[in-house]
Protein backbone atom coordinates (compact mmCIF):
# COMPACT_ATOMS: atom_id res chain seq x y z
CA UNK A 1 0.00 0.00 0.00
CA UNK A 2 1.27 3.44 -0.87
CA UNK A 3 2.67 5.53 1.98
CA UNK A 4 0.29 8.33 0.96
CA UNK A 5 -2.53 6.53 2.77
CA UNK A 6 -3.40 7.79 6.24
CA UNK A 7 -5.48 5.79 8.70
CA UNK A 8 -7.33 6.59 11.87
CA UNK A 9 -7.78 3.62 14.19
CA UNK A 10 -10.00 4.18 17.22
CA UNK A 11 -9.66 2.18 20.39
CA UNK A 12 -6.00 1.74 19.49
CA UNK A 13 -4.52 1.70 22.99
CA UNK A 14 -4.57 -2.08 23.27
CA UNK A 15 -6.04 -5.33 22.00
CA UNK A 16 -7.60 -5.48 18.57
CA UNK A 17 -7.19 -1.76 17.91
CA UNK A 18 -3.47 -1.80 18.64
CA UNK A 19 -3.02 -4.91 16.50
CA UNK A 20 -4.81 -3.25 13.58
CA UNK A 21 -2.75 -0.09 13.96
CA UNK A 22 0.47 -2.13 13.81
CA UNK A 23 -0.80 -4.16 10.85
CA UNK A 24 -1.65 -1.06 8.82
CA UNK A 25 1.66 0.56 9.70
CA UNK A 26 3.39 -2.58 8.46
CA UNK A 27 1.56 -2.11 5.16
CA UNK A 28 3.05 1.36 4.79
CA UNK A 29 0.09 3.33 6.11
CA UNK A 30 0.56 6.33 8.40
CA UNK A 31 -1.55 5.74 11.49
CA UNK A 32 -3.27 7.94 14.02
CA UNK A 33 -3.86 5.84 17.12
CA UNK A 34 -6.96 7.31 18.76
CA UNK A 35 -8.14 6.40 22.22
CA UNK A 36 -9.57 7.92 25.38
CA UNK A 37 -6.54 6.34 27.09
CA UNK A 38 -3.90 8.83 25.98
CA UNK A 39 -1.02 6.88 27.52
CA UNK A 40 -2.16 3.70 25.80
CA UNK A 41 -2.47 5.21 22.34
CA UNK A 42 0.92 6.87 22.84
CA UNK A 43 2.44 3.43 23.48
CA UNK A 44 0.91 2.13 20.25
CA UNK A 45 2.16 5.11 18.24
CA UNK A 46 5.63 4.96 19.78
CA UNK A 47 5.96 1.27 18.98
CA UNK A 48 5.17 2.03 15.34
CA UNK A 49 7.67 4.89 15.29
CA UNK A 50 10.37 2.68 16.78
CA UNK A 51 10.24 0.35 13.78
CA UNK A 52 10.31 3.18 11.25
CA UNK A 53 6.62 3.77 10.66
CA UNK A 54 4.66 7.00 10.74
CA UNK A 55 2.24 7.44 13.60
CA UNK A 56 0.74 9.89 16.03
CA UNK A 57 -1.27 9.44 19.20
CA UNK A 58 -4.54 11.30 19.57
CA UNK A 59 -6.37 11.29 22.88
CA UNK A 60 -10.07 11.65 22.18
CA UNK A 61 -13.52 10.57 23.29
CA UNK A 62 -15.04 9.39 20.01
CA UNK A 63 -18.54 9.84 21.40
CA UNK A 64 -17.94 13.59 21.75
CA UNK A 65 -18.82 15.43 18.54
CA UNK A 66 -16.14 18.10 18.82
CA UNK A 67 -13.46 15.66 19.94
CA UNK A 68 -14.16 13.32 17.03
CA UNK A 69 -13.91 16.17 14.54
CA UNK A 70 -10.70 17.41 16.14
CA UNK A 71 -9.16 13.94 16.01
CA UNK A 72 -9.66 13.79 12.25
CA UNK A 73 -8.49 17.39 11.81
CA UNK A 74 -5.33 16.75 13.83
CA UNK A 75 -4.58 13.61 11.85
CA UNK A 76 -5.01 15.44 8.54
CA UNK A 77 -2.79 18.30 9.72
CA UNK A 78 0.03 16.07 10.97
CA UNK A 79 -0.08 13.08 8.63
CA UNK A 80 -2.27 13.99 5.67
CA UNK A 81 -5.89 13.51 4.54
CA UNK A 82 -7.60 10.56 6.20
CA UNK A 83 -8.51 7.86 3.67
CA UNK A 84 -8.70 4.84 5.99
CA UNK A 85 -10.89 4.66 9.10
CA UNK A 86 -11.19 1.74 11.48
CA UNK A 87 -13.96 2.23 14.04
CA UNK A 88 -12.86 -0.14 16.77
CA UNK A 89 -13.45 1.84 19.98
CA UNK A 90 -15.74 0.00 22.32
CA UNK A 91 -16.68 -0.66 25.92
CA UNK A 92 -18.79 -3.21 27.75
CA UNK A 93 -21.31 -2.65 30.50
CA UNK A 94 -22.65 -6.19 30.70
CA UNK A 95 -25.67 -7.19 32.74
CA UNK A 96 -28.93 -9.03 32.42
CA UNK A 97 -31.69 -6.82 31.08
CA UNK A 98 -33.53 -6.40 34.38
CA UNK A 99 -30.31 -5.26 36.04
CA UNK A 100 -29.07 -3.04 33.21
CA UNK A 101 -29.28 0.68 33.90
CA UNK A 102 -30.09 3.31 31.32
CA UNK A 103 -26.58 4.63 31.90
CA UNK A 104 -25.13 1.23 30.97
CA UNK A 105 -27.21 1.24 27.80
CA UNK A 106 -26.32 4.79 26.80
CA UNK A 107 -22.61 4.41 27.49
CA UNK A 108 -22.28 1.41 25.18
CA UNK A 109 -24.43 2.93 22.45
CA UNK A 110 -22.53 6.21 22.61
CA UNK A 111 -19.07 4.71 22.18
CA UNK A 112 -19.91 2.03 19.61
CA UNK A 113 -22.62 3.60 17.47
CA UNK A 114 -22.44 7.35 18.07
CA UNK A 115 -18.65 7.19 18.00
CA UNK A 116 -18.57 5.32 14.69
CA UNK A 117 -21.06 7.79 13.21
CA UNK A 118 -19.15 10.87 14.35
CA UNK A 119 -15.75 9.59 13.24
CA UNK A 120 -17.08 8.44 9.88
CA UNK A 121 -18.91 11.69 9.23
CA UNK A 122 -15.70 13.61 9.94
CA UNK A 123 -13.43 11.36 7.86
CA UNK A 124 -15.62 10.77 4.82
CA UNK A 125 -15.05 14.27 3.46
CA UNK A 126 -11.36 13.48 3.01
CA UNK A 127 -12.20 10.19 1.31
CA UNK A 128 -14.67 11.73 -1.08
CA UNK A 129 -12.19 14.42 -2.04
CA UNK A 130 -9.54 11.75 -2.64
CA UNK A 131 -12.05 9.56 -4.50
CA UNK A 132 -10.71 6.64 -2.47
CA UNK A 133 -11.44 5.39 1.00
CA UNK A 134 -11.70 2.38 3.27
CA UNK A 135 -13.99 2.17 6.30
CA UNK A 136 -13.91 -0.85 8.60
CA UNK A 137 -16.28 -1.12 11.54
CA UNK A 138 -15.75 -3.65 14.32
CA UNK A 139 -18.93 -5.58 15.00
CA UNK A 140 -19.07 -8.89 16.91
CA UNK A 141 -20.67 -12.31 16.91
CA UNK A 142 -22.64 -10.85 19.83
CA UNK A 143 -24.67 -9.04 17.15
CA UNK A 144 -26.43 -12.39 16.76
CA UNK A 145 -27.52 -12.18 20.41
CA UNK A 146 -25.66 -12.84 23.64
CA UNK A 147 -27.01 -13.29 27.14
CA UNK A 148 -26.13 -10.40 29.43
CA UNK A 149 -25.19 -8.10 26.55
CA UNK A 150 -28.42 -6.52 25.34
CA UNK A 151 -26.68 -3.15 24.95
CA UNK A 152 -23.50 -4.50 23.35
CA UNK A 153 -25.39 -6.88 21.03
CA UNK A 154 -27.72 -4.10 19.89
CA UNK A 155 -24.79 -1.75 19.24
CA UNK A 156 -22.85 -4.36 17.30
CA UNK A 157 -25.91 -5.25 15.22
CA UNK A 158 -26.44 -1.54 14.59
CA UNK A 159 -22.91 -1.24 13.26
CA UNK A 160 -23.71 -3.84 10.64
CA UNK A 161 -26.66 -1.81 9.36
CA UNK A 162 -24.55 1.34 9.51
CA UNK A 163 -21.83 -0.38 7.47
CA UNK A 164 -24.18 -1.55 4.74
CA UNK A 165 -25.69 1.92 4.44
CA UNK A 166 -22.25 3.50 4.16
CA UNK A 167 -21.43 1.07 1.35
CA UNK A 168 -24.55 2.15 -0.53
CA UNK A 169 -24.01 5.87 -0.03
CA UNK A 170 -20.26 6.12 -0.51
CA UNK A 171 -19.48 3.48 -3.11
CA UNK A 172 -19.78 5.88 -6.05
CA UNK A 173 -17.00 7.96 -4.51
CA UNK A 174 -14.54 5.06 -4.45
CA UNK A 175 -15.11 4.39 -0.75
CA UNK A 176 -15.76 0.88 0.57
CA UNK A 177 -17.27 0.03 3.95
CA UNK A 178 -17.13 -3.34 5.63
CA UNK A 179 -17.57 -4.81 9.09
CA UNK A 180 -15.57 -7.42 10.93
CA UNK A 181 -17.42 -9.51 13.51
CA UNK A 182 -14.91 -11.25 15.78
CA UNK A 183 -15.84 -14.27 17.83
CA UNK A 184 -13.93 -15.28 20.95
CA UNK A 185 -10.76 -13.17 20.88
CA UNK A 186 -8.22 -13.25 23.71
CA UNK A 187 -8.28 -9.62 24.89
CA UNK A 188 -8.66 -7.61 28.09
CA UNK A 189 -12.33 -7.08 27.21
CA UNK A 190 -12.90 -10.83 27.02
CA UNK A 191 -11.12 -11.19 30.34
CA UNK A 192 -13.56 -8.66 31.79
CA UNK A 193 -16.48 -10.75 30.55
CA UNK A 194 -15.03 -13.81 32.25
CA UNK A 195 -14.72 -11.81 35.45
CA UNK A 196 -18.35 -10.79 35.16
CA UNK A 197 -19.38 -14.40 34.77
CA UNK A 198 -17.21 -15.44 37.69
CA UNK A 199 -15.23 -18.01 35.70
CA UNK A 200 -11.51 -18.67 35.38
CA UNK A 201 -10.35 -17.10 32.12
CA UNK A 202 -8.03 -19.94 31.13
CA UNK A 203 -10.72 -22.54 31.81
CA UNK A 204 -13.19 -20.48 29.81
CA UNK A 205 -10.81 -20.25 26.85
CA UNK A 206 -10.20 -23.99 26.96
CA UNK A 207 -13.94 -24.71 27.01
CA UNK A 208 -14.55 -22.27 24.16
CA UNK A 209 -11.78 -23.83 22.09
CA UNK A 210 -13.53 -27.17 22.21
CA UNK A 211 -16.60 -25.61 20.60
CA UNK A 212 -14.73 -23.66 17.88
CA UNK A 213 -14.18 -25.63 14.65
CA UNK A 214 -10.53 -24.56 14.26
CA UNK A 215 -9.86 -25.68 17.83
CA UNK A 216 -8.62 -22.45 19.38
CA UNK A 217 -9.71 -18.98 20.41
CA UNK A 218 -8.71 -16.03 18.28
CA UNK A 219 -6.02 -13.41 18.74
CA UNK A 220 -6.03 -9.68 17.93
CA UNK A 221 -3.69 -10.45 15.04
CA UNK A 222 -6.33 -12.73 13.50
CA UNK A 223 -8.67 -9.75 13.31
CA UNK A 224 -5.93 -7.37 12.20
CA UNK A 225 -5.10 -9.58 9.24
CA UNK A 226 -8.63 -9.25 7.89
CA UNK A 227 -8.68 -5.52 8.58
CA UNK A 228 -5.40 -5.17 6.72
CA UNK A 229 -6.92 -6.72 3.63
CA UNK A 230 -10.14 -4.72 3.80
CA UNK A 231 -8.13 -1.50 4.05
CA UNK A 232 -5.90 -2.38 1.12
CA UNK A 233 -5.97 -1.50 -2.57
CA UNK A 234 -6.86 -5.13 -3.32
CA UNK A 235 -10.21 -4.91 -1.50
CA UNK A 236 -11.78 -2.36 -3.84
CA UNK A 237 -14.59 -4.69 -4.92
CA UNK A 238 -15.49 -5.82 -1.40
CA UNK A 239 -18.04 -3.54 0.23
CA UNK A 240 -21.05 -3.78 2.50
CA UNK A 241 -19.89 -7.12 3.89
CA UNK A 242 -19.83 -8.52 7.41
CA UNK A 243 -16.91 -10.91 7.84
CA UNK A 244 -17.06 -13.20 10.86
CA UNK A 245 -13.60 -13.88 12.25
CA UNK A 246 -14.72 -16.60 14.61
CA UNK A 247 -12.95 -19.84 13.72
CA UNK A 248 -16.06 -21.23 12.08
CA UNK A 249 -19.28 -20.27 10.32
CA UNK A 250 -21.80 -17.88 11.80
CA UNK A 251 -25.27 -17.11 10.51
Amino acid sequence: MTTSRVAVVTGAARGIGAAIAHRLAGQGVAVAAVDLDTAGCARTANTILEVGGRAIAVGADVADENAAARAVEQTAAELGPVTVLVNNAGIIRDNLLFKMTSGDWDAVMNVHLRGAFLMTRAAQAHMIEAKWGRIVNLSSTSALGNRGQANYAAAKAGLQGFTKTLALELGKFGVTANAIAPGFIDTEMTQATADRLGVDFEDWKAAASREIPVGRVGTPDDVAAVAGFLCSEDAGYVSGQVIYVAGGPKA
Side-chain angles (χ1 to χ4, degrees):
M1 185 179 287
T2 174
T3 54
S4 66
R5 303 301 184 200
V6 174
V8 168
V9 181
T10 70
R14 61 184 61 81
I16 291 172
I20 292 173
H22 287 118
R23 181 80 181 201
L24 293 179
Q27 295 175 195
V29 181
V31 177
V34 177
D35 204 287
L36 188 60
D37 176 0
T38 54
C41 62
R43 283 193 300 270
T44 299
N46 288 337
T47 303
I48 292 170
L49 291 170
E50 287 169 3
V51 295
R54 295 175 64 214
I56 61 171
V58 181
D61 177 0
V62 297
D64 180 278
E65 186 167 8
N66 292 327
R70 285 195 301 269
V72 172
E73 290 170 3
Q74 180 181 344
T75 302
E78 296 189 32
L79 297 176
V82 176
T83 51
V84 176
L85 172 64
V86 180
N87 287 308
N88 167 75
I91 61 171
I92 54 172
R93 296 290 185 271
D94 295 351
N95 224 326
L96 295 175
L97 182 63
F98 77 98
K99 294 181 180 179
M100 186 174 290
T101 67
S102 58
D104 292 337
W105 178 272
D106 290 343
V108 170
M109 289 295 172
N110 283 343
V111 175
H112 291 271
L113 275 176
R114 177 180 168 87
F117 159 67
L118 292 173
M119 292 299 298
T120 303
R121 189 180 64 180
Q124 57 84 32
H126 294 282
M127 299 180 189
I128 290 174
E129 184 174 353
K131 296 182 171 55
W132 193 96
R134 299 286 186 264
I135 300 167
V136 175
N137 298 316
L138 269 293
S139 180
S140 168
T141 55
S142 291
L144 302 172
N146 197 27
R147 180 179 173 83
Q149 288 193 318
N151 48 4
Y152 186 79
K156 291 304 192 182
L159 279 170
Q160 295 188 15
F162 180 61
T163 299
K164 291 176 183 291
T165 302
L166 293 176
L168 293 171
E169 291 188 8
L170 301 179
K172 65 183 178 181
F173 301 108
V175 180
T176 66
N178 293 284
I180 300 174
F184 195 122
I185 307 296
D186 188 347
T187 65
E188 290 181 22
M189 185 177 285
T190 314
Q191 172 79 65
T193 301
D195 293 342
R196 172 181 65 85
L197 295 173
V199 299
D200 180 82
F201 189 44
E202 294 303 319
D203 290 344
W204 194 35
K205 287 196 295 183
S209 296
R210 291 191 288 270
E211 301 298 322
I212 297 171
V214 300
R216 66 173 177 87
V217 301
T219 68
D221 286 338
D222 289 321
V223 181
V226 178
F229 167 69
L230 292 175
C231 293
S232 73
E233 304 282 350
D234 292 337
Y237 202 57
V238 181
S239 195
Q241 303 305 304
V242 179
I243 300 177
Y244 286 90
V245 181
K250 296 291 179 180

